Every structure is written in structure tokens, then in C-alpha cells.
Amino acid sequence: NVNPGGLIDYELHYSNSGGALATGVVIIDAIPNNTGFIVGSENPSAITSFSNDGGTSWTYSPVGGAGATDTSVTHIRYNIGNLSPSPVSSTVYFSVRVLPTIPAGAAVLNWASIDSAQTPDVNSNVLFTYITNVLMNKGGSRAIARPGHLIDFDIDFWNVGTSVVNTVVVTDPIPDESFYISNSLVMSPGVSVLYSTDNGQTYSASDGSSGPGLVTTVTHLQFSLASLPANAASTASVSFTVRVTNPLQGDTTIENQSSLRTASTTGTVYSNLVQIPTVDLEVSKIPNPPLAMPAQTVDFTITYSNNGSTAATSTVVVDTLPQEMSVLTTSISNGGTATSPQVITWNLGDLPAGA
């Protein structure tokens, strides 16, 4: 969502998932209606050209200094050239400003196309950006989470329009792979809350817990406020806490997004999507043989993995043997070192997700 006169930043991700080199690769994006191109926002600029006649010619130079709005730009083109096969995507960027005359309730649509000497045009997904005078922002307290971690989510919402907005209702689903923590709410004056334990079908005034600080079966939170004053005179805020489940499903990213409706406006306003990747380390150890006699050699195999959705950094495996054992230093593999007769350490560095 964006307010009239606000900025929209676009990111275009592209890749070649085939098995052969693509040549003459070009990405073209039409500047959306009711917006103007932000001069200097194109990146990388060295491969960019512009049109002011609907894509017929590509010799136009945007007018104004960096940050100015040029409504004459109709299309932007990125001349990628050769694109080798790779599962890793690359990204190009540009920004537009929504015209201040566009009414709340309208939508700005945008999509791009990519083609090459070997392929026909392929269109991207279509992005809908809704114009609203009621804005939301959402944040999370962690950049990366582990099983059992607590995460605080906060929501701010305000009205940049010239009229009061009445009967504001914000709905927030509790993220998958997490549990709402009872009595963790902090709310601005005038905000009230209801709880749902059946995926938003019904709501009640109780979270169903027997005390504060406990995990609950709450699936949705619904916040209500009688009105939001005009001209961003004040911002309403709420926050709550969840605990990440333990154990986690593999490749989990904790995602959370809020929605807002009012009696004074049409449509639904959505917050930004908060995505918190996880690191989920596991380690196991197997002896061979499982039973041993005095003075007998025992081989240990240690297996480790990261079942999360992002890399674990500065990863260290430490194995401490009982006092009745001492390590044979020549048997240590994969860069491990004995820091004492009973302690072996492996400095693994970064451990990618899925490794």
C-alpha cells in the first residue's frame, strides 16, 4: 500500500534456469499509470535506457536531477546481454512516485517482460499496489530465529488523509510454527483486542490461557480503534510476542503480515510482510563399537546439519569425552583439533541451510 504522492520501489529478479546460454537478453517494464519515474533510481544505470513514446524508441533522457519525478518516461529497458544458466537470480531496480491526484481506493499495476534471441517474451507476475490514506508498518525483533526463540512483532498504523477515519480494525494471524504468548500485548490507548482460536472464524475477549507468559492456541488477533485522526496527527501501535516452535519443520521462515479495514474507506490495507529466517542445528554421535572393553579403541562419528532456512554463521562443533577416555589425535578428521585430551573442536564457519 502507498498513499497519494508516495514512493514505490520495484525490484525485478531474473535468471536463466535452462541449460544453455541466453543471448540478447532484454527486460522491459512500463512505468505504471498515475505514477512518474524517479530520476536516478535505475540500477544498474549502465545497462538502462528509456522511452517516452510507449517503447517505440529508446533515446529519451529523463529530465531533472536525481530524485526528481519525470512523468514523460513511459518505459524502462535493461539490456542484460548474455545470461548464463544459473539457479541464482540477479536483480534490477527502479522507483516511481504516485501522483498526488490519484484517489484513495485506486490501484497501481505493474509487470515486466524478459526476452532473448532464443526465447519469446515472458511476463513477470503482476504487482498490485493499493492507494490508501491509512498506512501500516510492521516489524519483528529478530533478524534470524531459532527453535524456542521469542519474537516480538509490532504494528504501527496512521492516517495521512484530510478526514478522520472511523472504526479501524486490524487483523493479525499468528505465524505458522509459532505460538502467541499470553498477556504479551502492548497497545496504544483506545485500542482493544479480541482473540480467535479457530483461524479467525470467531473471536472472544479471552486468549484461553491460565496465566501470563504461556503459549496459547490463539490463531488470530483482532485490534479495534474507534478512529484515527487526519493528517497523521497520531500513530496507533500494538505489539505482541510469539514463541517459535521446537522442534521446527525443515526450511521454516517465520512470516507475519497484518491487514486493516475501516468503516470510512473501501478495500483492505496490508502491512509489509515480515520474514524471519530460521537456523535449526542438529548434531548426533554414534560409537563403534557401542560397547567397549578397557584399552579398546572406539571410533565416534559425529553428524551435524542445519535444517533451517538460512545459513548458520561461525558454527562450532565441540565434543567432550568422558575422563575415562582420551582422543587419538591422528584420528581426528575434517579439520578438527584437540584442545585437551578430552575435548575436540571443529570450526565449521558458515553452515548453509539444508547442509
Side-chain angles (χ1 to χ4, degrees), residues 234-312:
S234 65
T235 298
S237 301
V238 297
S239 66
F240 61 92
T241 303
V242 303
R243 185 179 296 279
V244 179
T245 58
N246 188 8
L248 268 176
Q249 297 288 328
D251 194 28
T252 292
T253 295
I254 305 298
E255 297 185 339
N256 189 236
Q257 186 175 36
S258 306
S259 62
L260 178 150
R261 297 183 68 89
T262 80
S264 305
T265 57
T266 59
T268 302
V269 176
Y270 294 94
S271 74
N272 54 303
L273 175 64
V274 175
Q275 296 179 301
I276 302 175
T278 62
V279 167
D280 187 6
L281 299 180
E282 290 188 0
V283 64
S284 63
K285 183 177 179 180
I286 300 175
N288 183 29
L291 300 174
M293 301 292 290
Q296 184 177 2
T297 298
V298 180
D299 297 323
F300 289 103
T301 300
I302 299 173
T303 303
Y304 56 88
S305 63
N306 175 12
N307 299 321
S309 59
T310 194

Side-chain angles (χ1 to χ4, degrees), residues 103-129:
V108 173
L109 279 64
N110 181 253
W111 66 94
S113 66
I114 185 170
D115 71 354
S116 71
Q118 293 78 26
T119 60
D121 284 0
V122 176
N123 289 331
S124 73
N125 56 306
V126 179
L127 290 179
F128 292 81
T129 303

Side-chain angles (χ1 to χ4, degrees), residues 315-328:
T315 310
V316 179
V317 173
V318 178
D319 190 2
T320 303
L321 299 173
Q323 290 297 318
E324 293 78 12
M325 289 183 166
S326 60
V327 64
L328 297 176

Side-chain angles (χ1 to χ4, degrees), residues 10 13 16 50 66 73 75 91 93 106 180 190 280 289 334-335 337:
Y10 288 113
H13 304 277
N16 177 2
F50 301 92
V73 177
H75 290 71
T91 308
Y93 308 86
Y180 169 73
D280 187 6
N334 295 331
T337 58

Side-chain angles (χ1 to χ4, degrees), residues 2-8 34-36 96-102 108 131:
V2 67
N3 61 295
L7 288 175
I8 304 175
N34 295 305
T35 71
V96 300
R97 184 177 299 281
V98 177
L99 300 183
T101 54
I102 189 171
V108 173
I131 309 304

